[in-house]
Protein backbone atom coordinates (compact mmCIF):
# COMPACT_ATOMS: atom_id res chain seq x y z
CA UNK A 1 0.00 0.00 0.00
CA UNK A 2 1.35 3.41 -0.95
CA UNK A 3 2.10 5.98 1.70
CA UNK A 4 1.56 9.72 1.67
CA UNK A 5 4.29 11.80 3.27
CA UNK A 6 2.97 14.91 5.02
CA UNK A 7 2.28 16.25 8.49
CA UNK A 8 -1.45 16.65 9.06
CA UNK A 9 -1.12 19.50 11.56
CA UNK A 10 1.17 21.41 9.22
CA UNK A 11 -1.24 20.81 6.37
CA UNK A 12 -4.25 22.07 8.31
CA UNK A 13 -2.36 25.16 9.44
CA UNK A 14 -1.34 25.84 5.84
CA UNK A 15 -4.95 25.50 4.73
CA UNK A 16 -6.05 27.92 7.46
CA UNK A 17 -3.58 30.49 6.16
CA UNK A 18 -4.69 30.05 2.56
CA UNK A 19 -8.39 30.33 3.48
CA UNK A 20 -7.79 33.46 5.56
CA UNK A 21 -5.81 35.11 2.76
CA UNK A 22 -8.37 34.08 0.15
CA UNK A 23 -11.20 35.66 2.09
CA UNK A 24 -9.28 38.96 2.10
CA UNK A 25 -9.44 39.03 -1.70
CA UNK A 26 -12.10 41.28 -3.24
CA UNK A 27 -13.31 38.78 -5.82
CA UNK A 28 -16.63 39.34 -7.55
CA UNK A 29 -19.13 36.83 -9.02
CA UNK A 30 -16.87 35.24 -11.63
CA UNK A 31 -14.67 32.24 -12.20
CA UNK A 32 -11.70 33.30 -10.00
CA UNK A 33 -14.06 33.42 -7.02
CA UNK A 34 -15.77 30.23 -8.19
CA UNK A 35 -12.54 28.24 -8.21
CA UNK A 36 -11.30 29.81 -4.98
CA UNK A 37 -14.50 29.02 -3.11
CA UNK A 38 -14.62 25.53 -4.58
CA UNK A 39 -11.27 24.99 -2.87
CA UNK A 40 -12.55 26.37 0.43
CA UNK A 41 -15.60 24.12 0.13
CA UNK A 42 -13.32 21.12 -0.39
CA UNK A 43 -11.30 22.21 2.63
CA UNK A 44 -14.53 22.34 4.63
CA UNK A 45 -15.51 18.83 3.55
CA UNK A 46 -12.06 17.51 4.46
CA UNK A 47 -11.72 19.20 7.85
CA UNK A 48 -15.28 19.86 9.01
CA UNK A 49 -14.25 23.38 10.10
CA UNK A 50 -17.50 25.31 10.34
CA UNK A 51 -15.71 28.65 10.04
CA UNK A 52 -14.84 27.81 6.43
CA UNK A 53 -18.50 27.36 5.55
CA UNK A 54 -19.51 30.45 7.53
CA UNK A 55 -16.94 32.64 5.79
CA UNK A 56 -18.14 31.54 2.35
CA UNK A 57 -21.78 31.99 3.26
CA UNK A 58 -21.24 35.51 4.55
CA UNK A 59 -19.42 36.60 1.39
CA UNK A 60 -21.75 34.84 -1.04
CA UNK A 61 -24.77 36.37 0.66
CA UNK A 62 -23.15 39.79 0.29
CA UNK A 63 -22.47 39.22 -3.40
CA UNK A 64 -26.06 38.08 -3.94
CA UNK A 65 -27.38 41.21 -2.24
CA UNK A 66 -25.30 43.36 -4.60
CA UNK A 67 -26.87 41.72 -7.66
CA UNK A 68 -25.60 39.04 -10.01
CA UNK A 69 -23.93 39.68 -13.38
CA UNK A 70 -25.04 38.18 -16.69
CA UNK A 71 -24.32 34.47 -16.79
CA UNK A 72 -21.50 33.01 -18.87
CA UNK A 73 -19.75 29.67 -18.86
CA UNK A 74 -17.10 31.24 -16.62
CA UNK A 75 -19.53 32.72 -14.10
CA UNK A 76 -21.18 29.31 -13.74
CA UNK A 77 -18.09 28.34 -11.73
CA UNK A 78 -19.85 30.07 -8.83
CA UNK A 79 -22.41 27.28 -9.01
CA UNK A 80 -20.02 25.04 -7.08
CA UNK A 81 -20.15 27.05 -3.87
CA UNK A 82 -23.92 27.41 -4.23
CA UNK A 83 -24.27 23.62 -4.35
CA UNK A 84 -22.21 23.31 -1.17
CA UNK A 85 -24.16 26.03 0.63
CA UNK A 86 -27.49 24.58 -0.42
CA UNK A 87 -26.46 21.09 0.64
CA UNK A 88 -25.39 22.22 4.09
CA UNK A 89 -27.93 24.97 4.83
CA UNK A 90 -30.99 24.01 2.79
CA UNK A 91 -31.67 27.67 2.01
CA UNK A 92 -33.78 28.08 -1.10
CA UNK A 93 -32.02 31.28 -2.21
CA UNK A 94 -29.05 29.17 -3.25
CA UNK A 95 -31.19 26.63 -5.07
CA UNK A 96 -32.96 29.40 -6.99
CA UNK A 97 -29.66 30.70 -8.35
CA UNK A 98 -28.48 27.17 -9.08
CA UNK A 99 -31.63 26.63 -11.14
CA UNK A 100 -31.07 29.92 -12.97
CA UNK A 101 -27.52 28.91 -13.86
CA UNK A 102 -28.70 25.48 -15.01
CA UNK A 103 -31.40 27.07 -17.16
CA UNK A 104 -28.76 29.30 -18.72
CA UNK A 105 -26.45 26.38 -19.53
CA UNK A 106 -29.22 24.17 -20.87
CA UNK A 107 -31.22 26.70 -22.87
CA UNK A 108 -29.28 29.94 -23.44
CA UNK A 109 -25.55 29.25 -23.54
CA UNK A 110 -23.93 29.22 -26.97
CA UNK A 111 -23.25 25.74 -28.38
CA UNK A 112 -21.91 24.27 -31.59
CA UNK A 113 -21.53 20.96 -33.39
CA UNK A 114 -22.68 18.11 -31.19
CA UNK A 115 -24.27 20.43 -28.60
CA UNK A 116 -20.85 21.34 -27.22
CA UNK A 117 -20.70 24.36 -24.92
CA UNK A 118 -18.79 27.27 -26.42
CA UNK A 119 -16.45 28.82 -23.89
CA UNK A 120 -17.72 32.27 -22.96
CA UNK A 121 -16.19 34.84 -20.63
CA UNK A 122 -18.65 37.72 -21.17
CA UNK A 123 -22.12 38.36 -22.54
CA UNK A 124 -20.57 38.70 -26.01
CA UNK A 125 -19.77 35.95 -28.49
CA UNK A 126 -16.16 35.96 -27.32
CA UNK A 127 -14.68 32.94 -29.04
CA UNK A 128 -17.04 31.70 -31.79
CA UNK A 129 -17.33 27.90 -31.86
CA UNK A 130 -14.34 27.36 -29.62
CA UNK A 131 -14.20 24.79 -26.85
CA UNK A 132 -11.64 25.16 -24.07
CA UNK A 133 -10.66 22.69 -21.38
CA UNK A 134 -11.64 25.37 -18.82
CA UNK A 135 -15.32 24.69 -19.55
CA UNK A 136 -15.04 21.27 -17.92
CA UNK A 137 -14.50 22.86 -14.51
CA UNK A 138 -16.71 25.90 -14.93
CA UNK A 139 -19.72 24.09 -16.42
CA UNK A 140 -19.47 20.31 -16.91
CA UNK A 141 -18.49 19.53 -13.32
CA UNK A 142 -21.21 21.87 -12.07
CA UNK A 143 -23.80 20.17 -14.31
CA UNK A 144 -22.78 16.75 -13.03
CA UNK A 145 -22.84 17.74 -9.36
CA UNK A 146 -26.22 19.45 -9.77
CA UNK A 147 -27.65 16.56 -11.78
CA UNK A 148 -26.78 14.04 -9.09
CA UNK A 149 -27.74 16.26 -6.14
CA UNK A 150 -31.07 17.35 -7.63
CA UNK A 151 -31.79 13.96 -9.24
CA UNK A 152 -31.95 15.49 -12.73
CA UNK A 153 -30.68 12.80 -15.15
CA UNK A 154 -30.82 15.15 -18.15
CA UNK A 155 -28.16 17.32 -16.50
CA UNK A 156 -25.99 14.30 -15.82
CA UNK A 157 -26.33 13.24 -19.45
CA UNK A 158 -25.37 16.70 -20.71
CA UNK A 159 -22.34 16.83 -18.41
CA UNK A 160 -21.08 13.47 -19.64
CA UNK A 161 -21.52 14.56 -23.25
CA UNK A 162 -19.45 17.66 -22.57
CA UNK A 163 -16.58 15.52 -21.34
CA UNK A 164 -16.99 13.11 -24.25
CA UNK A 165 -16.79 15.80 -26.91
CA UNK A 166 -14.07 17.81 -25.20
CA UNK A 167 -11.99 14.64 -25.16
CA UNK A 168 -12.53 14.18 -28.90
CA UNK A 169 -11.63 17.79 -29.67
CA UNK A 170 -8.84 18.49 -27.19
CA UNK A 171 -6.89 15.35 -26.29
CA UNK A 172 -3.92 14.40 -28.44
CA UNK A 173 -4.32 10.66 -28.92
CA UNK A 174 -0.63 10.32 -29.80
CA UNK A 175 0.61 11.29 -26.35
CA UNK A 176 -2.42 11.66 -24.05
CA UNK A 177 -1.88 15.38 -23.34
CA UNK A 178 -4.57 18.02 -23.81
CA UNK A 179 -4.51 21.10 -25.97
CA UNK A 180 -5.82 24.37 -24.53
CA UNK A 181 -8.58 24.91 -27.08
CA UNK A 182 -10.18 23.85 -30.36
CA UNK A 183 -11.68 26.06 -33.08
CA UNK A 184 -14.60 24.27 -34.75
CA UNK A 185 -14.70 26.80 -37.59
CA UNK A 186 -11.07 26.36 -38.66
CA UNK A 187 -10.94 22.72 -37.44
CA UNK A 188 -7.67 23.16 -35.53
CA UNK A 189 -6.18 23.72 -32.09
CA UNK A 190 -5.15 27.26 -32.99
CA UNK A 191 -1.59 27.71 -31.67
CA UNK A 192 -1.66 24.08 -30.53
CA UNK A 193 0.15 24.02 -27.17
CA UNK A 194 -0.19 21.66 -24.23
CA UNK A 195 -1.02 24.28 -21.63
CA UNK A 196 -0.54 23.14 -18.05
CA UNK A 197 -3.75 24.52 -16.56
CA UNK A 198 -5.84 23.10 -19.42
CA UNK A 199 -4.49 19.70 -18.44
CA UNK A 200 -5.32 20.50 -14.82
CA UNK A 201 -8.95 21.31 -15.67
CA UNK A 202 -9.28 18.14 -17.73
CA UNK A 203 -7.53 15.75 -15.35
CA UNK A 204 -9.08 17.06 -12.15
CA UNK A 205 -12.66 17.13 -13.40
CA UNK A 206 -12.41 13.69 -15.03
CA UNK A 207 -11.00 12.29 -11.79
CA UNK A 208 -14.13 13.43 -9.92
CA UNK A 209 -16.73 11.74 -12.10
CA UNK A 210 -16.37 8.31 -10.52
CA UNK A 211 -16.71 9.84 -7.04
CA UNK A 212 -19.84 11.83 -7.88
CA UNK A 213 -21.83 9.67 -10.29
CA UNK A 214 -23.44 6.54 -8.79
CA UNK A 215 -22.84 3.41 -10.86
CA UNK A 216 -20.70 5.42 -13.24
CA UNK A 217 -19.62 2.24 -15.03
CA UNK A 218 -23.12 1.94 -16.51
CA UNK A 219 -22.61 5.06 -18.65
CA UNK A 220 -20.74 4.57 -21.95
CA UNK A 221 -19.42 8.15 -21.78
CA UNK A 222 -17.80 7.38 -18.45
CA UNK A 223 -15.75 4.63 -20.03
CA UNK A 224 -14.43 7.25 -22.46
CA UNK A 225 -13.62 9.54 -19.53
CA UNK A 226 -11.83 6.77 -17.63
CA UNK A 227 -9.75 5.83 -20.66
CA UNK A 228 -8.88 9.46 -21.38
CA UNK A 229 -7.80 10.08 -17.79
CA UNK A 230 -5.64 6.96 -17.70
CA UNK A 231 -3.83 8.06 -20.86
CA UNK A 232 -3.43 11.62 -19.64
CA UNK A 233 -2.06 10.82 -16.20
CA UNK A 234 0.38 8.25 -17.52
CA UNK A 235 1.70 10.98 -19.83
CA UNK A 236 1.69 13.79 -17.27
CA UNK A 237 3.87 11.94 -14.78
CA UNK A 238 6.71 12.11 -17.33
CA UNK A 239 6.63 15.91 -17.30
CA UNK A 240 6.84 16.48 -13.54
CA UNK A 241 9.90 18.58 -12.67
CA UNK A 242 12.41 17.87 -9.93
CA UNK A 243 10.52 20.44 -7.82
CA UNK A 244 7.41 18.27 -7.96
CA UNK A 245 5.59 20.72 -10.24
CA UNK A 246 4.52 21.00 -13.88
CA UNK A 247 5.34 23.78 -16.32
CA UNK A 248 2.89 26.24 -17.81
CA UNK A 249 3.69 24.60 -21.17
CA UNK A 250 4.15 20.99 -20.21
CA UNK A 251 6.75 20.02 -22.81
CA UNK A 252 8.67 23.32 -22.87
CA UNK A 253 11.69 23.30 -20.55
CA UNK A 254 12.05 27.06 -20.90
CA UNK A 255 8.58 27.85 -19.56
CA UNK A 256 8.12 28.38 -15.84
CA UNK A 257 6.73 25.98 -13.26
CA UNK A 258 3.09 26.85 -12.59
CA UNK A 259 1.46 26.08 -9.26
CA UNK A 260 -2.29 26.02 -10.01
CA UNK A 261 -1.83 23.47 -12.80
CA UNK A 262 0.46 21.41 -10.58
CA UNK A 263 -2.08 21.34 -7.75
CA UNK A 264 -4.90 20.24 -10.04
CA UNK A 265 -2.86 17.53 -11.75
CA UNK A 266 -1.66 16.11 -8.43
CA UNK A 267 -5.21 16.27 -7.03
CA UNK A 268 -6.34 14.18 -10.00
CA UNK A 269 -3.64 11.63 -9.27
CA UNK A 270 -4.85 11.42 -5.68
CA UNK A 271 -8.47 11.02 -6.71
CA UNK A 272 -7.53 8.24 -9.13
CA UNK A 273 -6.38 6.20 -6.10
CA UNK A 274 -3.66 4.46 -8.06
CA UNK A 275 -0.81 3.79 -5.58
CA UNK A 276 1.71 4.10 -8.41
CA UNK A 277 0.98 7.85 -8.43
CA UNK A 278 1.74 8.48 -4.78
CA UNK A 279 5.45 9.11 -5.34
CA UNK A 280 4.53 11.91 -7.75
CA UNK A 281 1.97 13.27 -5.31
CA UNK A 282 4.52 13.32 -2.50
CA UNK A 283 6.88 15.39 -4.66
CA UNK A 284 4.05 17.84 -5.32
CA UNK A 285 3.36 18.21 -1.59
CA UNK A 286 6.82 19.67 -1.08
CA UNK A 287 6.64 21.74 -4.27
CA UNK A 288 3.36 23.35 -3.27
CA UNK A 289 4.30 23.98 0.37
CA UNK A 290 7.38 25.81 -0.88
CA UNK A 291 5.06 28.13 -2.81
CA UNK A 292 2.75 29.16 0.05
CA UNK A 293 3.80 32.31 1.90
CA UNK A 294 3.46 32.87 5.62
CA UNK A 295 0.34 34.96 5.02
CA UNK A 296 -1.30 32.26 2.87
CA UNK A 297 -0.63 33.53 -0.64
CA UNK A 298 -0.11 30.79 -3.22
CA UNK A 299 2.75 31.96 -5.43
CA UNK A 300 3.78 31.36 -9.05
CA UNK A 301 0.25 31.13 -10.42
CA UNK A 302 -0.16 32.35 -13.99
CA UNK A 303 -2.74 35.02 -14.75
CA UNK A 304 -5.91 34.41 -16.72
CA UNK A 305 -4.84 32.99 -20.06
CA UNK A 306 -6.64 32.91 -23.39
CA UNK A 307 -5.48 30.58 -26.16
CA UNK A 308 -2.30 32.50 -26.90
CA UNK A 309 -0.92 32.99 -30.39
CA UNK A 310 2.54 31.61 -29.78
CA UNK A 311 4.90 30.02 -27.28
CA UNK A 312 6.14 33.37 -25.99
CA UNK A 313 2.56 34.39 -25.25
CA UNK A 314 2.27 31.59 -22.71
CA UNK A 315 5.80 32.01 -21.34
CA UNK A 316 5.23 35.69 -20.63
CA UNK A 317 1.93 35.49 -18.73
CA UNK A 318 2.56 37.13 -15.36
CA UNK A 319 2.79 34.95 -12.27
CA UNK A 320 3.46 37.78 -9.83
CA UNK A 321 0.01 38.27 -8.32
CA UNK A 322 -2.30 36.29 -6.07
CA UNK A 323 -5.04 34.54 -8.07
CA UNK A 324 -8.28 32.95 -6.92
CA UNK A 325 -7.70 29.82 -8.98
CA UNK A 326 -4.27 29.33 -7.41
CA UNK A 327 -5.73 29.59 -3.92
CA UNK A 328 -8.59 27.27 -4.81
CA UNK A 329 -6.61 24.53 -6.54
CA UNK A 330 -3.99 24.46 -3.77
CA UNK A 331 -6.76 24.01 -1.19
CA UNK A 332 -8.35 21.32 -3.35
CA UNK A 333 -5.08 19.39 -3.46
CA UNK A 334 -4.41 19.74 0.27
CA UNK A 335 -8.00 18.72 1.05
CA UNK A 336 -7.55 15.68 -1.17
CA UNK A 337 -4.50 14.66 0.85
CA UNK A 338 -6.48 14.75 4.10
CA UNK A 339 -9.39 12.82 2.59
CA UNK A 340 -7.13 10.18 1.04
CA UNK A 341 -5.29 9.70 4.32
CA UNK A 342 -8.56 9.44 6.26
CA UNK A 343 -9.95 6.84 3.86
CA UNK A 344 -6.79 4.78 4.16
CA UNK A 345 -7.16 4.87 7.92
CA UNK A 346 -10.72 3.60 7.55
CA UNK A 347 -9.55 0.69 5.42
CA UNK A 348 -11.26 2.12 2.32
CA UNK A 349 -8.16 1.89 0.12
Amino acid sequence: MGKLEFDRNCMEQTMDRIVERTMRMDMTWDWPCGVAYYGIAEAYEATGKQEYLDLMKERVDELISLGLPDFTVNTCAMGHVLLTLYQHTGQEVYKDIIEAKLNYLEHEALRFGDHVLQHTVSADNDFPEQCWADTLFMAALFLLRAGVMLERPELTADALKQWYWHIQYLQDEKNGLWYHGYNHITKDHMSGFYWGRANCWAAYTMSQVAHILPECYLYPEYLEIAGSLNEQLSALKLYQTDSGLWRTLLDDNESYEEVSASAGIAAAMLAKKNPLYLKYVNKTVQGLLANVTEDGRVMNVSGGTAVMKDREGYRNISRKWIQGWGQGMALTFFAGLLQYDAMKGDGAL
Side-chain angles (χ1 to χ4, degrees), residues 22-241:
T22 303
M23 294 308 305
R24 285 167 46 200
M25 298 173 68
D26 297 324
M27 293 180 290
T28 57
W29 196 279
D30 206 345
W31 75 277
C33 190
V35 181
Y37 287 13
Y38 177 88
I40 298 177
E42 289 297 293
Y44 166 69
E45 299 291 354
T47 65
K49 292 184 176 180
Q50 184 65 33
E51 59 265 34
Y52 290 175
L53 189 70
D54 293 343
L55 286 168
M56 288 189 297
K57 184 180 186 307
E58 180 180 4
R59 181 61 56 79
V60 169
D61 288 350
E62 180 182 7
L63 290 171
I64 292 172
S65 72
L66 293 172
L68 304 185
D70 292 335
F71 291 158
T72 66
V73 164
N74 267 356
T75 61
C76 284
M78 286 296 290
H80 289 297
V81 68
L82 294 173
L83 289 170
T84 298
L85 290 174
Y86 178 62
Q87 179 183 6
H88 290 286
T89 71
Q91 293 185 12
E92 290 295 316
V93 62
Y94 305 126
K95 185 172 186 290
D96 290 343
I97 303 174
I98 290 168
E99 292 288 359
K101 287 184 178 290
L102 294 172
N103 181 71
Y104 163 77
L105 287 173
E106 293 299 287
H107 303 293
E108 300 174 19
L110 295 171
R111 298 191 182 225
F112 66 88
D114 298 279
H115 215 46
V116 179
L117 283 166
Q118 175 179 309
H119 192 75
T120 52
V121 303
S122 75
D124 298 324
N125 185 5
D126 306 288
F127 306 103
E129 296 195 28
Q130 290 184 22
C131 70
W132 295 8
D134 312 50
T135 299
L136 295 176
F137 186 95
M138 314 307 164
L141 184 60
F142 168 58
L143 284 169
L144 180 67
R145 292 182 65 199
V148 172
M149 181 183 294
L150 303 176
E151 299 182 344
R152 298 264 300 277
E154 75 278 9
L155 301 178
T156 299
D158 190 13
L160 293 175
K161 288 178 181 176
Q162 295 307 314
W163 271 293
Y164 177 87
W165 285 110
H166 278 73
I167 289 168
Q168 312 313 312
Y169 287 133
L170 295 176
Q171 188 167 28
D172 189 338
E173 293 185 8
K174 297 190 299 294
N175 59 26
L177 300 178
W178 279 56
Y179 295 104
H180 187 172
Y182 176 80
N183 188 318
H184 191 249
I185 297 172
T186 56
K187 302 294 191 291
D188 60 30
H189 298 102
M190 296 167 279
S191 54
F193 291 105
Y194 306 124
W195 183 46
R197 198 155 59 233
N199 281 266
C200 149
W201 298 137
Y204 179 73
T205 60
M206 289 194 294
S207 77
Q208 295 305 298
V209 177
H211 300 289
I212 296 171
L213 182 61
E215 298 184 315
C216 58
Y217 47 80
L218 296 180
Y219 297 82
E221 295 90 349
Y222 171 72
L223 302 181
E224 190 81 359
I225 292 168
S228 171
L229 181 60
N230 287 338
E231 286 292 304
Q232 186 192 22
L233 292 182
S234 66
L236 284 169
K237 69 183 183 184
L238 304 177
Y239 293 95
Q240 189 180 39
T241 68

